[in-house]
Amino acid sequence: MRSVFSGRGRRVAACTALALSAGMLLATPASADDATSAARAFAEKRQASADGPKKTLSSSQAGSTRAGALAAQAVSPLLSDLDGDGVDDVIYRDEYGFLNAVVGDVTWPFGDFEAPVAKDVIPIGNQGGGALPEVLTVSETGTLTLYKDNSEIGSVDANDNYRPGVRVGGGWQVYNKIASPGDVNGDGRADVIARTHGGQLYLYIATGDLTKPLGGRILVGSGWGVYDQLVGLGDGNGDGRADLYARDTAGTLWFYSGTGDKAKPFATRKSIGGGWNAYTQIVAGGHGSLRGRDLNGTMYFYAPNGNGTLAPRVKEGETGAWKDAAQIANAGSIPYLGRDGVHALTPGGSWYWYQNTTTGRLAARETVDNQNSFPNDNLFGLSSMDDDGMSDLGHIVNGYFFVNGGLIGGGWGIYNSVVGPGDLSGDGKGDLIARDRSGVLWLYKGNGLGTAFSTRVKVGSGWGVYNKIIGAGDYTGDGRTDLVARTTTGDLYVYPGTGNATTPFKTRVKVGSGWNTFKQLASPGDLNADGKGDLIGVNGAGELYRYLNTSPSKFAPAAKIGTGFQIYNRIG
């Protein structure tokens, strides 16, 4: 059982308690004890939600169509068969950052709760000659961790105690997508591909040595950045070689047949068809099959026809059963961590929290403090400053800057905007952007702990033309952190990130006009589990609208997802 103060509950409770103990409140109608008790109650409520029973999922039932297809395609090594029944099982990261394994109709906790949150999960099948498969995870800061001999209840020893994973690499934050296509070179072991932010594709051949499971990287192509989903599926055409599916931003799915050649492992692409942008995540299903998760969290199964094409889809499991899955292992999407909702404050100083769902909406509001304890306080949300992958809290009072209640330092009163969009320097650690009153923009690199920042670096001047600067994640589709800015006349721009701290942004790209209709404009992170940063806006009538990112630097038409938000004077 997870402790009461784990996950988001612990984060918000700690923020509130530290803020109170530091004497940061300018007006406190409630006592510190009362506020701390309220924060504890909030933490317990959030933890009950995280620990409560999950909706029953099914990863192994899609009717006789699936069973027949898998029997015909049983020629490539399975990547995540956790119970030895000849069918790949599903591992996923939930909206609280925990890993889960779905075996048949049962969901088990998976992995090590104390480890940094896994940004992506890459099952690689049996690598070490044992009876059970291995699984790789990648953290925000690029640590590659291997979990060996994973059973149907995760990485456990003979006494059912969780075994920590073993660090087997670092620096993997240079890639925006890592996947296993299956066995590329015919040695019976699944290999790994990794794509850079610039679209270069590298191949890592498995070694069979669990202390160093991957060999040196081999450049196998460029131009792969045109795809927003990249799925390694095993063998899709029955020739025993590892194949790939890739989806472009227009929604067309492409099939790359394996060649067996390490230098050029994939043949010329073949179009499978359009309309695949209906899915937020496209997932390998084992033996060349494919799954698609839609916006509502419903999963569909596509059996292979044996030539790279796919049979008509079959609904798999209950409607909406996968809506708590933020990132599914073997999914093709660029994974995202860092911001999971927005804070909302009333003019009187009450503080509320809205967590993201994965279905394009915000969850029901949760009370952090409704005793009007924070009137006129400069509270604002930040993308994760540490390794928990969740939103953090910034607070400036009397020129002193705090992150989650911990003092960073003084002198921050010179800034009229501070934004935590995520990693801008390419090291996987959350950074800050601050604009001073003369319109100069500055970058502060984070230390990955949320406790300190490096000496500021000047980004540029002229940023005073914007009345709103926000950001949380990737808006251009390359996996890098970007920034969004709105002019006083309502023009909206995206500044694509470079991953370079000295020149963190490319030339701005205009997104559209008329955005001054929103009194509140905020960046909640990824609202629909497709890995891209989305936006929300509140108009004068208090109506809440979402803009889902379709990238590059484009958004789907507005969709109203709430009312009554006029009670807040700050959302972010």
Side-chain angles (χ1 to χ4, degrees), residues 91-459:
I91 303 168
Y92 72 95
R93 168 169 49 85
D94 65 25
E95 52 209 335
Y96 293 94
F98 295 110
L99 295 182
N100 303 272
V102 183
V103 183
D105 291 331
V106 180
T107 303
W108 299 92
F110 184 91
D112 180 8
F113 291 157
E114 300 304 318
V117 175
K119 187 173 184 179
D120 206 358
V121 184
I122 307 99
I124 53 174
N126 190 335
Q127 294 280 327
L132 296 170
E134 275 68 54
V135 174
L136 294 170
T137 64
V138 182
S139 73
E140 280 190 285
T141 54
T143 297
L144 189 69
T145 299
L146 182 135
Y147 291 90
K148 64 180 182 179
D149 296 333
N150 293 278
S151 73
E152 60 184 296
I153 55 173
S155 182
V156 296
D157 62 20
N159 298 315
D160 289 340
N161 296 316
Y162 283 96
R163 289 177 293 146
V166 177
R167 186 184 188 276
V168 293
W172 287 72
Q173 78 277 2
V174 300
Y175 301 118
N176 64 17
K177 187 61 201 171
I178 304 164
S180 175
D183 179 15
V184 169
N185 63 337
D187 64 358
R189 291 186 292 266
D191 306 303
V192 170
I193 56 171
R195 182 183 62 185
T196 68
H197 299 89
Q200 292 178 307
L201 192 69
Y202 289 90
L203 171 66
Y204 288 84
I205 297 295
T207 65
D209 179 359
L210 295 187
T211 63
K212 188 180 179 182
L214 302 175
R217 70 180 190 176
I218 303 167
L219 178 63
V220 295
S222 58
W224 288 80
V226 298
Y227 301 118
D228 68 349
Q229 301 246 354
L230 194 63
V231 186
L233 70 149
D235 180 17
N237 58 6
D239 64 1
R241 297 166 181 161
D243 304 321
L244 282 179
Y245 282 117
R247 186 187 74 180
D248 62 28
T249 55
T252 300
L253 189 69
W254 301 87
F255 176 70
Y256 284 87
S257 176
T259 66
D261 180 356
K262 291 187 294 185
K264 188 181 179 182
F266 305 110
T268 303
R269 69 181 188 176
K270 178 173 67 175
S271 175
I272 300 301
W276 286 83
N277 48 7
Y279 299 118
T280 57
Q281 293 184 36
I282 300 173
V283 188
H287 296 310
S289 65
L290 209 60
R291 292 183 173 110
R293 176 198 182 275
D294 69 11
L295 179 61
N296 297 318
T298 302
M299 192 78 80
Y300 294 89
F301 174 81
Y302 290 84
N305 288 328
N307 61 357
T309 65
L310 298 164
R313 73 180 190 179
V314 178
K315 182 181 173 184
E316 189 168 40
E318 300 176 16
T319 298
W322 291 87
K323 63 184 179 181
D324 72 329
Q327 183 67 31
I328 304 173
N330 279 336
S333 56
I334 298 174
Y336 172 76
L337 279 174
R339 191 78 189 270
D340 58 331
V342 291
H343 302 275
L345 289 100
T346 67
S350 291
W351 174 16
Y352 300 92
W353 166 258
Y354 289 86
Q355 180 156 344
N356 292 348
T357 68
T358 65
T359 60
R361 295 178 175 272
L362 298 176
R365 82 173 186 180
E366 300 173 55
T367 301
V368 183
D369 183 284
N370 62 358
Q371 302 299 313
N372 295 332
S373 301
F374 300 90
N376 303 314
D377 272 29
N378 189 5
L379 295 169
F380 48 93
L382 304 168
S383 293
S384 182
M385 294 285 116
D386 51 26
D387 63 3
D388 70 356
M390 292 182 173
S391 298
D392 289 322
L393 181 70
H395 189 180
I396 297 176
V397 59
N398 296 330
Y400 288 93
F401 179 43
F402 299 80
V403 173
N404 299 329
L407 177 63
I408 301 300
W412 288 75
I414 64 173
Y415 299 119
N416 57 17
S417 180
V418 177
V419 183
D423 171 31
L424 292 168
S425 61
D427 61 3
K429 302 171 183 177
D431 304 316
L432 292 178
I433 285 291
R435 182 184 64 186
D436 65 28
R437 300 184 188 282
S438 64
V440 176
L441 200 68
W442 304 87
L443 169 67
Y444 287 85
K445 286 182 58 178
N447 68 350
L449 302 173
T451 57
F453 296 88
S454 64
T455 303
R456 68 181 188 175
V457 176
K458 184 177 179 179
V459 174

Side-chain angles (χ1 to χ4, degrees), residues 24 64 126 183 267 323 389 398 426 510 518 530:
M24 293 161 54
S64 59
N126 190 335
D183 179 15
K323 63 184 179 181
N398 296 330
K510 187 174 181 179
F518 295 117
D530 68 350

